[in-house]
Amino acid sequence: MSKEFSYLNLNKSASYSYVGKNLKRVDMLDKVTGRGKYIDDLKFSNMLYAKLIRSTEAHARIINIDTSEAEKLPGVKAIITAKDVPSIKYGLSPARYDENIFCTDTVKYYGDKIGAIAAIDEETVYKALKLIKVEYEVLPAVFTPAEAAKEGAPQIFEEYPGNVNTEIHLEFGDVEKGRQEAYHIRTDRLSGQRTLHGFIEPHCTIAYWKGKRVHVQSTHQSVHYLQHHIARIFDMKEGDVRVTLPYVGGGFGGKVDISGTDVAAVALSKITGQPVKVFFDLEEVWLNGRGRHGMDMKYTTGVTKEGKIVFVEAEVILDGGAYSGLGVATSYYTGSLLNVLYDFDNYKFDAYRYVTNLPPCGAQRGHGQPHPRYAFESHLDHIAEDLGMDPIDIRIVNARKANTVTPNGYEVKSYYLKEANELARDVSGWKEKKGKLPKGRGIGVGNGGFVTGAGFCMYRTDLPHSIGMIKIYDDGTHAIVYTQAVDIGQGSDTVLVQMAAEAMGFPYEDITICTRDSDLATLDYGAYASRQTLMAGWAVKRAGEDIKKKILIQAAEMLKVKEDGGYRSGKLMPEELDCKEGYVFVKQEPAVNISFAEVARAYFVKHGVLVGRGYYHPGKLGGSHKGAAVGTSPAYSSATQIAEVEVDMETGETKVVGTWDVHDSGCVVNPQLLHGQVHGAFSMGIGETIWEKVVFDEKGKLLNGNFAEYRMPTALDMPHVESLVLDTFEPNGPWGVKEVGEGATTPTLGCVANAVYDAIGVRVTDLPLTPESIWRGIKEAEKAKEKEGK
Amino acid sequence: MYLPDFEYFSPDSVEEACQLLSKYGSKAKAIAGGTDVLVKMKSDLLAPEVLIGLGQLSPLKKIEYVPGKGVVIGSGVTHNEVRDSKVIQEKYMSVSQAAHHMANNQVRNRGTIGGNISNAVPSADMPPILISLGATATIVGTKGERTLPLEDVFAGPNVTVLEQDEIITEFVIPDGNFTGSTYMKFGLRASGALAVVGVAAAVQVEDGVIKDARIVLGAVSPTPVRAKKAESFLKDKQASEELFAEAGVIASGECKPISDIRASAEYRKDMVRVFTKRALDAAVNKGHV
Ligand SMILES: Cc1cc2nc3c(=O)[nH]c(=O)nc-3n(C[C@H](O)[C@H](O)[C@H](O)COP(=O)(O)OP(=O)(O)OC[C@H]3O[C@@H](n4cnc5c(N)ncnc54)[C@H](O)[C@@H]3O)c2cc1C
């Protein structure tokens, strides 16, 4: 259950017609009736079915690929390998394009892409796959950063000597000075595991060619990046690549990279001249990877007597898996946002991302942050304990304030972390519980937050970040909002329609949104970095305001105030009018009004189509140091979460019994959708804290590519969630909005882990905190105590 | 994932089913709910050329109490049917609960008790509680019928003593003197997780004294095993928390668990200790739960 709760009341959403309201999702009926189309529902005549041929070795040179038996199978239409496709390398970080459509020489992990088979139906594809024979020369492999870093370790890529894919060394302020000033210094080491997003719709792409143009339909989080990369990889003009996305069944960062389904579908449909559908089985989603990196984190922090942080030294080692993908950005994100949350000047941050012979890691909700947040929030609790401070007090002492600039150059406008801590403390009963619960029961706090959209495009460009367009029907009764914003389930279509309605003063229920289509809709970078509400929101708001401006000008010519006794006589000026909920009225005399539709129709008769245009670019953000771009954003959310847990001291089993989230999310466009994000974030974060881990055998073969052995929490495992909003206002956001989608996952791991620590009195440092690892932690602590006793 | 090609038969009688199994020999596999067979076939772990469906066999679908015999559960009864059966709930709520806590609702709706037993997976949830209550299995083949104590049906991981032409038709929980029983499943999440350890206990208590006790351990040995030393340790002793704890320690010495991706052997051993203690406590103090 979630409570509507306004604490700070900094925005004026009470006077809005649509923004701030729990309106029904625009895709609700499509989704609950099953009539909405996901990619697997799409069929085209003559469509071929295709799958990838995958490596069965973790690291090996391909000696020969024998496709002859498979080719003989009736129904097989094409079998392609590296020799049949462009050899250009791709990825998401231009500095590290290192992935080929199909492996050219060596396979780099068990499951790597070797080729693809297209056939007349699914059954034939599966049969053909079994007939492919690949001959390998097996090479030694590395599966952990420690193995990858060893002297003489096998080299996975020529371009990454020592298997180091990304190396970061940054220092801000003067750490040595901080060290001198510190009253107390402490070091903690913790580690986080590889996890996966857990969306239920596996990747799938259908492509077909019409002349020189290709139409790509995919499961993706971004129309634009898919279009951009397909054009780049296949040496085409962007205008010749049409990308459309049907409804997308979840993404969480796992559908930002170009998937093997995308490149294989485009290549196969070109070769066969038929529409081709390339699809993953669930296990292949694990093999495709791009989830959270495994990380080892070390923090050394100095504080004053009062708990004020005077310096932090952070070192993060990432297990990157086989390719870069988004991993360079991930590496920067592990360190860059720490001093958005906490206000301190002296900060040293080192990171190393190693390539290993495992599926590549990338972005997963909270991109690069949840593990470091987990580690630092745990570390902070220990520092508070050393000082005899309440964990919430030390967070309040260090919480960043609004209108400040971080040492690494981010401008933070609205920021209410202190208030979030206070409210979370009060609603959770923290004061009555902390330190007073019986053994086996504990309460913990964690802070987090995120960027509201990345400050820069993923590749170098001068394009705007979002363009909105609204078209009004000829008769003025309906509006179409165009944007390439991608609703992957989070509800961006709904909030963008709410925002368009508010901006135009036009009824919400009379708007249709046209999205996820590069031919029809207008540029937006898509759903990542929690950007849609703010960035696509600005573009749509401005398009709506453009419409409204034109409507008011037109209406001023049509509306007449009474000559006698009216508020004034004579010709009206547009500034004297306003438009709300489908009616244009005289502000001083609302009884004098006219319907939007009538005005719009008159506009159409006179000028032709009524179109509104909106543009958004965040401007130049951030400092000039290496990597300064990662972490820049027009706005930063903050959040405090508290969890209460019960740990079975004999089995080590943790039950999360209560959770509280207080969000500084700016103006909340649709509170119900925000609460949905918070519930989902808790489920994801609790799962990652207690259960989830991607596991491989000693040869790098995936062991748990399914939802039975990769255990995410079920509804029965979920506690009560109390989600509260601070109702703040962000000057850089349309109507004052900020993000919630990813930020909400970032405090969860820390708060649950701290609650477990509070319950059992032992810090288990490696995620996930499985029953067995807690059991072991308790046993070891008992043994240590016995030793001490002796 | 795709099912390989196979031929399918839907026999009308147990006799016909056995004849088909005999005819096709090792090429054939019986299929009840299919929640195990089909998953394995899709994952290339099993490739029978012939599937023989037991789903149409109504004699396998009964649940009844036969005075003088006991509670009879047909092998084709689904887990949710076991859970919801009034007959079972009245006599042995513990059996109903064991079915309730397994798998997830979808699997419970299709998976059968016969499949659960015949699969002979060490972590299966139904064997421990049924063995603790002294259940027998009725096995029918082309050469006739035989009855075995359920604990003697298992020969190893995924192996039973059934001949190629045999199927299990029913299980009987004989009338007995047990005053309480329970099955405790320890899985790694609330639903849809296999047992890391499963412990069943059935006890006969008179005036606070344990007259008889059976402890069956699941997921910690190649087959479900009885903790016989712990059982005899308990006999004729006054029930107490200390006694249960001691029995737990003894039981944990009687299992031979393995380490796998779910848990280490060491941890499983200690969980046998914990759950034996807890199961005894529940069976003694709460009846059939
Ligand atoms: C997601 C999931 C979760 C699961 N969770 C659990 C769990 O928590 N606990 C648990 O114990 N199991 C679990 N299982 C395993 C299994 O599906 C169940 O044990 C189920 O009871 C099997 O029954 P079935 O009727 O579907 O068997 P089938 O798949 O039809 O058959 C299984 C085996 O038994 C044989 N067989 C079936 N009936 C007979 C018969 N009458 N005589 C002789 N042989 C027969 C078949 O030939 C086959 O070898 C789970 C399975 C899945 C897919």
Side-chain angles (χ1 to χ4, degrees):
Chain A
M1 287 306 292
S2 307
K3 239 189 295 190
E4 301 301 310
F5 191 100
S6 291
Y7 180 68
L8 290 177
N9 257 324
L10 294 182
N11 73 68
K12 305 155 252 67
S13 64
S15 64
Y16 301 145
S17 304
Y18 307 106
V19 165
K21 303 278 189 302
N22 285 326
L23 300 181
K24 279 186 195 136
R25 292 178 68 117
V26 296
D27 52 358
M28 181 186 73
L29 279 179
D30 267 6
K31 287 187 174 170
V32 298
T33 60
R35 121 192 127 189
K37 297 267 186 264
Y38 290 82
I39 194 145
D40 205 48
D41 299 317
L42 304 184
K43 298 220 163 35
F44 298 89
S45 58
N46 257 339
M47 185 168 83
L48 300 175
Y49 296 79
K51 289 197 73 64
L52 300 183
I53 302 165
R54 291 186 178 278
S55 158
T56 52
E57 294 293 341
H59 194 198
R61 179 154 288 118
I62 302 173
I63 304 294
N64 184 42
I65 305 169
D66 178 1
T67 58
S68 56
E69 285 302 309
E71 268 158 35
K72 281 184 216 149
L73 191 72
V76 170
K77 291 287 182 182
I79 301 179
I80 58 172
T81 59
K83 65 182 179 345
D84 308 303
V85 294
S87 60
I88 188 168
K89 288 190 168 148
Y90 65 92
L92 281 175
S93 304
R96 309 274 194 291
Y97 286 151
D98 56 13
E99 192 166 355
N100 278 107
I101 298 180
F102 300 126
C103 298
T104 48
D105 175 30
T106 62
V107 294
K108 294 180 167 52
Y109 70 99
Y110 182 102
D112 211 346
K113 315 186 292 294
I114 292 180
I117 302 181
I120 50 164
D121 55 24
E122 288 189 14
E123 196 174 343
T124 309
V125 178
Y126 282 100
K127 283 185 176 158
L129 272 175
K130 288 187 184 153
L131 300 174
I132 301 283
K133 289 182 208 87
V134 184
E135 200 186 315
Y136 300 100
E137 175 200 335
V138 177
L139 303 170
V142 293
F143 301 118
T144 62
E147 287 171 21
K150 263 201 201 121
E151 244 195 86
Q155 293 291 298
I156 307 176
F157 291 85
E158 255 171 49
E159 59 264 49
Y160 307 138
N163 293 315
V164 178
N165 163 271
T166 305
E167 196 173 336
I168 303 169
H169 304 288
L170 291 172
E171 186 170 343
F172 305 98
D174 186 344
V175 167
E176 269 323 302
K177 187 167 147 270
R179 207 185 294 275
Q180 301 308 318
E181 287 167 11
Y183 162 78
H184 176 62
I185 297 175
R186 183 187 170 104
T187 300
D188 284 297
R189 286 186 171 80
L190 295 101
S191 79
Q193 79 283 37
R194 269 179 180 252
T195 63
L196 208 72
H197 319 84
F199 43 78
I200 49 177
E201 180 197 44
H203 303 76
C204 177
T205 309
I206 300 172
Y208 53 90
W209 290 73
K210 276 187 195 162
K212 61 175 185 157
R213 291 195 93 207
V214 65
H215 184 174
V216 184
Q217 314 213 38
S218 183
T219 49
H220 224 269
Q221 294 180 224
S222 167
V223 170
H224 179 72
Y225 288 123
L226 182 54
Q227 183 189 31
H228 172 78
H229 286 287
I230 292 294
R232 191 185 154 270
I233 295 165
F234 290 92
D235 195 19
M236 298 168 69
K237 292 178 219 144
E238 280 183 20
D240 286 340
V241 180
R242 179 184 185 187
V243 167
T244 60
L245 312 174
Y247 279 131
V248 179
F252 305 105
K255 292 176 178 169
V256 180
D257 291 68
I258 306 311
S259 142
T261 58
D262 298 320
V263 281
V266 171
L268 280 168
S269 72
K270 174 141 201 177
I271 288 166
T272 60
Q274 285 172 250
V276 177
K277 169 180 175 175
V278 187
F279 62 101
F280 281 172
D281 290 331
L282 195 57
E283 191 186 30
E284 295 180 274
V285 176
W286 268 260
L287 295 176
N288 183 64
R290 328 281 161 162
R292 234 183 263 312
H293 291 65
M295 291 184 206
D296 293 318
M297 297 149 292
K298 179 181 158 197
Y299 287 102
T300 301
T301 298
V303 290
T304 65
K305 229 180 198 148
E306 295 71 38
K308 186 92 192 65
I309 298 171
V310 287
F311 80 91
V312 175
E313 263 178 349
E315 187 186 279
V316 180
I317 293 171
L318 299 93
D319 164 14
Y323 298 103
S324 292
L326 271 166
V328 181
T330 317
S331 308
Y332 278 99
Y333 267 130
T334 62
S336 64
L337 295 181
L338 178 63
N339 32 19
V340 172
L341 203 58
Y342 299 124
D343 189 358
F344 59 92
D345 296 330
N346 308 315
Y347 182 37
K348 185 167 179 307
F349 164 52
D350 299 292
Y352 303 83
R353 181 181 191 268
Y354 288 93
V355 280
T356 56
N357 293 112
L358 293 175
C361 296
Q364 181 173 334
R365 198 175 190 178
H367 197 183
Q369 272 222 79
H371 285 343
R373 286 257 49 71
Y374 150 75
F376 195 81
E377 294 299 301
S378 303
H379 177 54
L380 204 50
D381 262 31
H382 288 309
I383 294 170
E385 196 179 10
D386 294 347
L387 296 177
M389 266 182 102
D390 183 283
I392 291 189
D393 290 342
I394 199 169
R395 286 169 171 81
I396 290 176
V397 165
N398 290 292
R400 173 163 300 283
K401 298 203 172 50
N403 300 310
T404 51
V405 179
T406 70
N408 48 346
Y410 310 146
E411 260 187 67
V412 178
K413 294 286 191 214
S414 70
Y415 211 71
Y416 298 94
L417 183 61
K418 172 174 168 282
E419 289 78 1
N421 273 279
E422 289 166 349
L423 179 56
R425 176 189 65 203
D426 297 346
V427 293
S428 64
W430 175 272
K431 283 188 175 150
E432 295 77 55
K433 290 172 182 166
K434 178 65 191 171
K436 297 174 187 131
L437 296 169
K439 186 113 192 142
R441 202 163 170 116
I443 191 162
V445 64
N447 282 334
F450 205 57
V451 299
T452 309
F456 293 83
C457 179
M458 282 193 218
Y459 63 93
R460 222 173 268 277
T461 178
D462 55 2
L463 290 176
H465 289 219
S466 194
I467 291 294
M469 186 172 90
I470 300 177
K471 184 188 89 172
I472 306 294
Y473 262 64
D474 315 356
D475 73 346
T477 60
H478 200 83
I480 312 281
V481 176
Y482 300 86
T483 164
Q484 285 169 19
V486 180
D487 194 330
I488 52 175
Q490 85 280 32
S492 62
D493 282 358
T494 301
V495 297
L496 291 173
V497 170
Q498 285 182 263
M499 290 162 106
E502 193 69 51
M504 289 189 286
F506 189 78
Y508 173 76
E509 48 290 353
D510 292 330
I511 302 178
T512 297
I513 186 159
C514 170
T515 56
R516 306 191 297 269
D517 187 328
S518 65
D519 272 12
L520 300 182
T522 51
L523 174 73
D524 182 272
Y525 294 159
Y528 70 97
S530 291
R531 56 183 298 289
Q532 300 283 220
T533 307
L534 186 145
M535 296 195 170
W538 267 129
V540 163
K541 180 175 197 269
R542 286 170 179 162
E545 286 166 351
D546 190 23
I547 295 264
K548 187 163 164 177
K549 197 171 115 208
K550 290 169 181 164
I551 284 286
L552 296 188
I553 292 170
Q554 176 66 32
E557 290 173 18
M558 298 165 75
L559 272 176
K560 290 210 166 46
V561 275
K562 273 188 224 128
E563 292 289 333
D564 51 333
Y567 111 91
R568 74 169 190 72
S569 58
K571 193 170 154 38
L572 279 162
M573 300 302 286
E575 303 80 62
E576 291 170 278
L577 308 179
D578 198 0
C579 179
K580 273 187 178 204
E581 296 165 36
Y583 284 88
V584 184
F585 55 90
V586 178
K587 281 191 249 181
Q588 296 283 346
E589 207 174 341
V592 181
N593 61 56
I594 182 169
S595 82
F596 180 108
E598 210 179 323
V599 180
R601 191 180 180 284
Y603 180 98
F604 188 87
V605 170
K606 203 162 149 198
H607 306 282
V609 63
L610 173 51
V611 173
R613 304 190 325 163
Y615 174 102
Y616 177 72
H617 192 296
K620 165 93 182 77
L621 298 173
S624 54
H625 58 275
K626 192 165 183 237
V630 183
T632 53
S633 178
Y636 297 88
S637 69
S638 69
T640 299
Q641 289 182 351
I642 288 177
E644 192 174 343
V645 304
E646 216 171 68
V647 180
D648 185 324
M649 295 297 285
E650 281 188 306
T651 65
E653 187 178 25
T654 300
K655 206 173 152 47
V656 182
V657 291
T659 49
W660 295 264
D661 174 288
V662 178
H663 238 85
D664 159 24
S665 230
C667 163
V668 180
V669 180
N670 187 317
Q672 202 59 47
L673 288 178
L674 175 136
H675 297 312
Q677 288 295 311
V678 169
H679 280 236
F682 266 120
S683 156
M684 200 156 186
I686 290 171
E688 291 182 32
T689 317
I690 302 177
W691 294 284
E692 297 173 34
K693 181 180 186 176
V694 185
V695 193
F696 304 90
D697 73 7
E698 70 287 348
K699 288 190 162 153
K701 181 170 186 254
L702 174 70
L703 290 178
N704 61 346
N706 56 65
F707 289 124
E709 293 302 336
Y710 183 86
R711 276 176 296 277
M712 301 176 72
T714 67
L716 294 179
D717 297 292
M718 279 297 288
H720 174 88
V721 172
E722 194 147 332
S723 166
L724 309 168
V725 293
L726 285 179
D727 202 27
T728 55
F729 182 86
E730 167 57 49
N732 280 344
W735 291 281
V737 306
K738 292 199 282 189
E739 78 87 43
V740 63
E742 293 183 80
T745 326
T746 62
T748 314
L749 287 67
C751 85
V752 175
N754 282 335
V756 169
Y757 174 68
D758 189 44
I760 67 175
V762 186
R763 176 66 68 179
V764 180
T765 55
D766 297 355
L767 292 177
L769 308 180
T770 60
E772 181 165 349
S773 66
I774 290 179
W775 170 85
R776 210 171 282 283
I778 293 173
K779 288 255 141 124
E780 276 162 16
E782 276 168 6
K783 261 190 223 150
K785 222 180 201 169
E786 262 171 42
K787 242 192 191 165
E788 237 171 63
K790 279 174 198 161
Chain B
M1 305 236 269
Y2 216 81
L3 279 176
D5 294 334
F6 58 87
E7 225 180 315
Y8 180 74
F9 290 95
S10 177
D12 296 323
S13 67
V14 171
E15 203 187 352
E16 194 191 340
C18 296
Q19 277 161 1
L20 284 165
L21 281 167
S22 164
K23 180 174 168 196
Y24 290 101
S26 59
K27 287 186 204 159
K29 192 96 193 142
I31 179 168
T35 61
D36 190 74
V37 170
L38 296 178
V39 176
K40 283 195 180 126
M41 286 170 70
K42 277 195 166 184
S43 322
D44 289 335
L45 298 171
L46 201 66
E49 287 167 36
V50 176
L51 282 181
I52 296 165
L54 307 181
Q56 303 305 315
L57 303 178
S58 48
L60 307 188
K61 297 220 175 282
K62 65 182 167 213
I63 304 178
E64 59 189 19
Y65 176 67
V66 181
K69 191 174 177 191
V71 174
V72 179
I73 308 172
S75 64
V77 168
T78 67
H79 299 307
N80 273 345
E81 285 163 354
V82 170
R83 181 193 64 188
D84 296 337
S85 156
K86 290 276 165 305
V87 174
I88 294 174
Q89 285 178 1
E90 260 165 40
K91 290 269 179 193
Y92 305 107
M93 192 46 125
S94 50
V95 175
S96 162
Q97 284 292 308
H100 175 58
H101 288 298
M102 104 160 38
N104 51 48
N105 206 35
Q106 295 92 319
V107 171
R108 288 194 297 267
N109 267 332
R110 281 208 65 83
T112 64
I113 186 167
N116 191 267
I117 301 290
S118 312
N119 234 353
V121 173
S123 66
D125 286 315
M126 293 314 284
I129 186 67
L130 291 175
I131 293 172
S132 77
L133 291 166
T136 60
T138 308
I139 300 166
V140 177
T142 49
K143 294 183 201 79
E145 183 182 304
R146 55 180 176 143
T147 300
L148 286 180
L150 185 54
E151 54 185 304
D152 294 340
V153 168
F154 303 101
N158 300 303
V159 190
T160 63
V161 300
L162 266 65
E163 300 291 336
Q164 177 60 44
D165 65 338
E166 286 181 320
I167 65 164
I168 298 179
T169 51
E170 61 186 35
F171 305 94
V172 180
I173 308 174
D175 289 334
N177 300 318
F178 292 119
T179 52
S181 65
T182 196
Y183 172 65
M184 288 198 170
K185 168 182 184 163
F186 183 57
L188 295 178
R189 90 182 143 188
S191 171
L194 296 177
V196 161
V197 162
V199 180
V203 294
Q204 180 194 345
V205 185
E206 275 169 33
D207 302 327
V209 174
I210 298 181
K211 290 286 169 199
D212 190 13
R214 283 200 186 210
I215 299 166
V216 187
L217 313 176
V220 290
S221 291
T223 64
V225 287
R226 281 179 55 187
K228 290 196 177 161
K229 285 185 200 151
E231 288 176 2
S232 49
F233 163 77
L234 288 164
K235 211 165 161 67
D236 297 323
K237 292 212 173 76
Q238 189 73 32
S240 72
E241 270 181 42
E242 295 72 36
L243 188 77
F244 304 151
E246 265 184 80
V249 173
I250 297 170
S252 97
E254 292 186 75
C255 58
K256 296 187 190 65
I258 54 159
S259 296
D260 62 14
I261 66 166
R262 274 168 237 134
S264 71
E266 184 194 2
Y267 180 64
R268 284 197 161 99
K269 259 188 156 122
D270 197 45
M271 290 308 102
V272 167
R273 176 186 68 78
V274 172
F275 286 99
T276 300
K277 175 179 73 173
R278 292 182 186 181
L280 285 169
D281 189 43
V284 168
N285 294 312
K286 295 185 186 150
H288 297 284
V289 288

